[in-house]
Each structure stands twice: as structure tokens, then as C-alpha cells.
Amino acid sequence: MTTQGQLASNLPAETTELFGRRAELAQVRRMLGESRLVTLTGVGGVGKTRLALRAAHEARPSFRDGTWWVDLSALRRGALFGHAVAEALPLADQTTRPMIDVLAEYLADRELLLVLDTCEHLVGECAPAIEALLAAAPGLRILVTSRRLLGIRPERLLTVAPLPVGDRGGSGGEAAAVALLTARAAEAVPGLVFGDADLPGLVRLCRRLDGLPLAIELAAARLRDLSPAELTARLDDRFAVLGTTEEVVDEADPPWHQALRTAIGWSHELCGPAERLLWARLSVFAGGFDAEAARRVCADARLPEAAVDRLLTGLAESSLLVSAPGGGPGPRLWMLDTIREFGAFWLRKLGEEHTLRHRHRDHYRALAHRADAAWMGPEQIAWYERTVAEHANFRAALDLCLAEEDGHTATDIGGALWFLWAACGFAREGRHYLDRALALDPAPGPARTKALWACGLAALVQGDADTGSRLTAAFQEAVAQDTEHAESTDATAQVAAVSLEGTGLTASGRQAQAIAVLDTAPCSPSADGHYEAAWFMAWATRALVLIHLGQFARAAAVADELCAECVRRGETWSHTWGNYMRALASLGLGHAGQAAAHARTALDGKHRLHDSLGIAMAVDLLASAAIASGRAGRAARLLGIAERIWHTLGAPQAGMPEFVAARSACEAQARGLIGDDAYKTAFRIGYGTAPDTAIAYALTPPDGPAS
């Protein structure tokens, strides 16, 4: 391991103090120095995740290419393990290559630490993938948290024990359990202070909970109502009737897990009936939820919707829910895995699991349609953020459909989420779900037709022209069938077919055929239909094809019309492509300054939408504009910035010959103007710049004379 280069990380912030664990941290450091795979194991609630997070933060300076956190707790299908790792890394490859090959290639020459948090439910899928990655990437270290061992070489094991209790208070390692208890109690009850006389009771309470951090945190939340002595007495009573939750855990767990069962079960008993019911029902969510989702999924005649917000507050005050800012209409809430598992156990006991999972599916089906309907409007970025925040729940809904072989509902959800697959960087995952859904749903109908279109878009984003062509033909046939059986024609479906076919033709270099198809698109978008975005896609592609054909003035006019329509709607995604086409057309007409201004506007929108492909294309274009303005040094630096992004995407310049040629010409001109050595220096500076700093540089107009 080395200390050099640009530090990078996606590690979650440490929002609470870590108590004790000095010896364990030292041991993790030592083990990571000796082995490339370290697994932190132990019972639920013992603090594996918290220890791993602190260890990862401490390790950051030792890894040239950063430390990266992969939360696997919400992932229910091991087939998506590689997707989850890629999403955590700065890796946006959407090609059709096997994901394990993409990851292996990306990691091959990097020195980084990958933290895989909560692996126990995916061990069968994680283990072979980890072996393959370690074999391909000699500079890779992996730190795992799991209740189960991976069982592969060269795995080193550290069993995380509960916190020591000791006989005295303070923050030292020998009294870490008591320190944690008092700190969490002070957070739960502002102004609460314990004196020396309280210490024996606090020690007894921590011993009764065997120093298990999660059990201690649950108990701390109850110190607003009970003294330490009263709380300990209640827990003693709970131990005496432990049998009510025997089935929640494995009998092979160490004795201290009884303390966790006691604390969770006792917290469960202290909740009112409505709180207990909500706790059980909330267990169907994956990766968190907001209050609106909780109301829509969990409320019914037994649990009135008007009561849900109050009940959520009560569960949060009891440390059974965790809250943080999120991408929806309010804060996001989630349960720690052990708490969620307890709720899921009781949901099964209540006989409600099937009902609640289908309510969850139906809510996210409706949410996907709401997002689709609002996508081409002023709330697009808000819907982008909300959809990405709910990604794990959409996955869970689709996984349920596939597990039940409900292809119709899967195609309905997957088709409505076309923008998540094609516009938000999840084309590979879209293909994963849509291919399977379409195979399960052969019957014609609007949902299947929309899914064919979405799958075709995802294939074209991946550069899979053959599949895109096949799906275009299938979509056109499905549109004809739908039109034949419908009372009215969806004009947007015809435009969607034109857009899909034209995009496939231009991507494969057949520009004359592409323009012939795209010129059949109407001059303005249709009022309504199932494919509202199709006109905007067709118009953007039409401008691009005209640029490829050298018809720059005509392309500029098409791009101006597109941008004007986007402004009328307050839309961002298509607007960024319109500004990108404006920039290309301006460059072709010899207006370098205007081209750079349009490209910066496009880049700003792409950055807000986290569109890696669009960002890379816009920065490449800014480099060409810099060359046209005589700023070769700036162009070289921008090419370095773009190259780093392209390396995360798979196919440089999206594999399009025209863009590859433009990039090569830009590099050749820059080298010719400033020489190889100066070019290499500027390129390296750009490539090594942190992403946010690099985007800020690209968005800032250059000052001073051209150089």
C-alpha cells in the first residue's frame, strides 16, 4: 500500500463517536497489511459496520485510489452484486460486457480498499466474485462485514466482540459500554446527567446487556422514562420470558445474542400495539423509505393513515428508526438490519407478509408511473433524486414480480422506469430486469410495448446496436398491434418508433438513413401519450445527425427549437442535449466562443443529473472548443479530465466513430501547438484532478489571452 495520488472516497460520514475498539482497529490495520481479504464477523448489533467505517476512514491515506463503501443490506438478489459494487465506485460502464469483467478491468491497476458491508445474505454470490476480483487486481484490499464467513482464501477473520463494561465510567476501552450508554442517553434526553451514585446501576445495566452496542442504544432511548435500576429490573423480567422471540435468531449464536433478543423484544413490548404493527409492516421496505411511502404501504383500517406520522416519530425516539435527509418529499427513514429482521419475523407471525409485500410493490408501481408522467417537466431533477433514493425499493418490487413470475407487472414497472435505465445511468440494470420481464410476459399490450421501448433505449445506451435493432422492430410491431386494438391512436408511440430507429441508425454510422427516418418526426410534440419524451429524443438525435452530415446551420435551428420547447416545459435532461447540439453546431460554424458557452450550459445540467456519459461528452467538446480558440494547454487539461470519466464508462466516446475522430484530432492539434511534454503535463493534471474540482474548472470560462 502506498500514500500518493488523489485521495478518493465515498465513505459515509461518521455521525457518532466510536467508543472503545482501539485494539480492534489496530488489529484491522495489521490484518489489512498482511492479507488482501479481511472479514469482520460477529452477531447482529455488535458493531461490525461501525468498526469497519472507522477502520476505512483511518485507512484512506494508505490507498492511492481511495476507499470505497458498498452497502449490500438492501440488495435482495445476488445477481446484482456486481452492479452494487460498480455503483459505489466511480464506475458507470453500461456496456454489455459481464459486470465481473468490467470490475476486474477497472480495478486491475488500482490500489484501493473496498468495504463490503452486510454480506451474510449474499455469501454464495459474493464469494466467487471476490475471488475473481482479487485475482485480477493485485492492488485491491477488501474489508467485509458479515455474520457468515465467505470461506475463501486468503480470508482473515476478526470476530468482533461486545464492548467491555468494566467497573468505572469514562471513555476508556475498559468502560466503553457505559460510555456508550451515557452518551446515547444524553442524546435521547437533552440535559440528562448521571452522577457517581448512578454509576453502579449503569454498570449493572450494561452487564445485563452483555455490552452489545445495539442493545445498549435501545436501552438508552428508554432512560427518558425509567431509571437505570428500573430498566435493569424490567430486563430481568424480560429474560424470564424470553421464549416469545426464540425463533428470531439461530440457536448457534453465542450467549450474548440473548441480550440483543432481550433488548429488541423488550423494546417491542414497550411499543404500543399500533407501533408494533407499524414496525412489522415497515420491514418490507428495502434501503429506507419516507413518511409518504410508509403511509401508503402500511396504513389501512387497522392502522389509520392519520396516525402513521406520530407512530414513526415514536419509533424514531425509541431508536428503532434512523432518520437522515433524503431524495424525496421529506427525510428518509430506515431500520438497522437486526431491527428490520425482527419486524419481518413478526410480520410473518401476523400472516401479513404476502399482503404487505404486494402493497409495497403496488406503491412503487404507482410511484414509477408518477415519475414517468412528471419526467418531462419542471420537477425533473427532484424526480431524479427521488427515484435514485428509492432505487432499492424499485429493485425489491421488480424482484418480487420476477420471483412470482408476474411478467405483466414487471414490464409495467420496468417500462415506466425507462428514464432510470436510459437517462440516469442504469442501462445495464434495466436490461437485467426488462429482459427477464419480457420473457415472462409474451402477451401483447401497452405495458409490454412500453417495456420493449425502454429495453431498446437501454440497449442503445449500452452500444448494443444489434439488440437495439431487434427491439426496434419488435416495438414497431407491438405499436401496430396496440393501434389495431385501441379505440384511438397514440401519436407519441409513432414518434417513439422513429426516435428508436433513428438513434440506432446514427449510432451505427448510417447517417443518411438516419436523417431520412428522423425527418418524418412531427415539428412539435404531441399533446399527450405514453411516450412524451420521444419527440425530444428524436429532435436531439436529428440535430446530431445533421451535424454528422455537415449541415451545421440546419442543426443549429433544430437544436434551438428543441431548447425552446424544453424552456417552455422547465425541463432539464433534453435541454442539456439541446445545448450540447447547439455547441457542436456552433463549433462547426466556426464560433468557438459560442460553442464553449453552450457546452458549459450543457455540462452544468449534466452534472446536476449526475449523467456521466453526458459529462464526458460535454468536456470533450469543451476541449475541442478550447483548441479552436487557441487554448491548447486548457484543451489538454480538459482531455485529461474527460479521459478519467471515459475510463469509468467502458467505451471511449461511446464507440461512435465521429466522436472518436474528433477527440483524436483535438489531441493531435494540442500536441502540435504546445509540444508533447507540455501536453502530457497538462493532461496528467486534468486526469488527476478530483471530480468536483475538475467540473468546476470545466465550467469556469478561461481568463486572459489564448495559450
Side-chain angles (χ1 to χ4, degrees), residues 607-626:
H607 185 50
R608 285 188 288 146
L609 287 167
H610 307 280
D611 179 355
S612 297
L613 174 64
I615 290 169
M617 292 174 69
V619 176
D620 267 351
L621 183 50
L622 280 168
S624 294

Side-chain angles (χ1 to χ4, degrees), residues 188 214 217-218 220-221 224 314-322 336 339:
L214 178 55
E217 295 197 5
L218 291 174
R224 65 166 56 86
L315 292 173
E317 288 176 349
S318 299
S319 295
L320 296 166
L321 291 177
V322 182
L336 296 176
I339 302 296

Side-chain angles (χ1 to χ4, degrees), residues 163-168 173-178 202-204 206-207 210-211:
L163 294 172
V165 176
D167 296 318
R168 299 188 304 253
E174 73 284 354
V178 175
L202 295 172
V203 169
R204 281 195 300 274
C206 289
R207 282 184 179 157
D210 288 324

Side-chain angles (χ1 to χ4, degrees), residues 2 6 49 65 67 76 79 117 182 202 216 238 263 279 290-291 310 348 361 400 459 504 535 540 576 600 637 654:
T2 58
Q6 180 67 48
T49 294
D65 297 298
T67 50
R76 294 179 177 175
D117 183 42
T182 56
L202 295 172
I216 289 170
R238 175 66 194 172
W279 177 354
D290 57 33
R310 172 180 56 80
R348 290 190 296 274
R361 178 206 64 189
L400 178 66
W535 181 87
T576 63
R600 284 192 293 271
R637 185 168 173 181

Side-chain angles (χ1 to χ4, degrees), residues 324-609:
R332 287 193 70 74
L333 303 159
W334 72 91
M335 292 178 171
L336 296 176
D337 285 344
T338 311
I339 302 296
R340 181 184 54 76
E341 288 166 7
F342 190 95
F345 165 78
W346 281 107
L347 191 67
R348 290 190 296 274
K349 283 285 190 181
L350 293 168
E352 290 195 347
E353 182 177 22
H354 180 271
T355 299
L356 265 292
R357 291 206 179 280
H358 282 79
R359 279 195 212 167
H360 175 277
R361 178 206 64 189
D362 292 344
H363 169 67
Y364 284 98
R365 181 185 193 177
L367 189 65
H369 281 283
R370 286 171 59 195
D372 182 14
W375 180 255
M376 296 304 297
E379 297 181 350
Q380 188 178 81
I381 290 180
W383 274 107
Y384 163 82
E385 292 172 349
R386 185 171 185 181
T387 305
V388 171
E390 296 285 12
H391 189 179
N393 282 305
F394 285 120
R395 275 179 175 162
L398 286 164
D399 286 341
L400 178 66
C401 293
L402 297 182
E404 295 184 341
E405 298 189 351
D406 180 5
H408 177 72
T409 306
T411 56
D412 192 33
I413 298 172
L417 289 174
W418 68 268
F419 61 93
L420 180 63
W421 318 133
C424 300
F426 296 98
R428 184 189 290 271
E429 186 172 327
R431 290 285 303 279
H432 170 85
Y433 282 116
L434 289 165
D435 286 344
R436 288 159 179 77
L438 288 165
L440 289 171
D441 184 30
R448 189 174 194 280
T449 303
K450 184 73 173 275
L452 284 167
W453 181 69
C455 198
L457 286 176
L460 291 172
V461 169
Q462 290 184 293
D464 186 354
D466 290 342
T467 300
S469 176
R470 176 178 59 79
L471 288 166
T472 296
F475 174 69
Q476 291 169 333
E477 181 181 349
V479 168
Q481 289 179 324
D482 290 347
T483 301
E484 183 179 339
H485 293 95
E487 294 182 2
S488 59
T489 300
D490 182 352
T492 64
Q494 303 298 329
V495 181
V498 166
S499 173
L500 204 58
E501 183 178 3
T503 301
L505 289 168
T506 189
S508 58
R510 293 176 283 177
Q511 309 305 339
Q513 292 172 265
I515 198 62
V517 170
L518 291 162
D519 276 348
T520 65
C523 294
S524 59
S526 301
D528 60 297
H530 293 98
Y531 304 87
E532 187 180 17
W535 181 87
F536 297 83
M537 296 180 188
W539 224 242
T541 306
R542 189 165 173 243
L544 178 62
V545 174
L546 290 169
I547 288 163
H548 289 330
L549 293 172
Q551 300 180 33
F552 301 115
R554 189 179 167 201
V558 171
D560 286 345
E561 291 177 35
L562 172 61
C563 289
E565 185 62 36
C566 292
V567 169
R568 280 194 288 272
R569 290 170 174 258
E571 193 271 351
T572 301
W573 176 62
S574 297
H575 198 184
T576 63
W577 286 119
N579 278 307
Y580 179 81
M581 302 310 164
R582 278 174 157 175
L584 281 175
S586 296
L587 195 61
L589 292 168
H591 307 316
Q594 192 176 72
H598 287 316
R600 284 192 293 271
T601 303
L603 176 60
D604 179 59
K606 294 297 184 188
H607 185 50
R608 285 188 288 146
L609 287 167

Side-chain angles (χ1 to χ4, degrees), residues 9 225 492 618:
S9 172
D225 304 313
T492 64

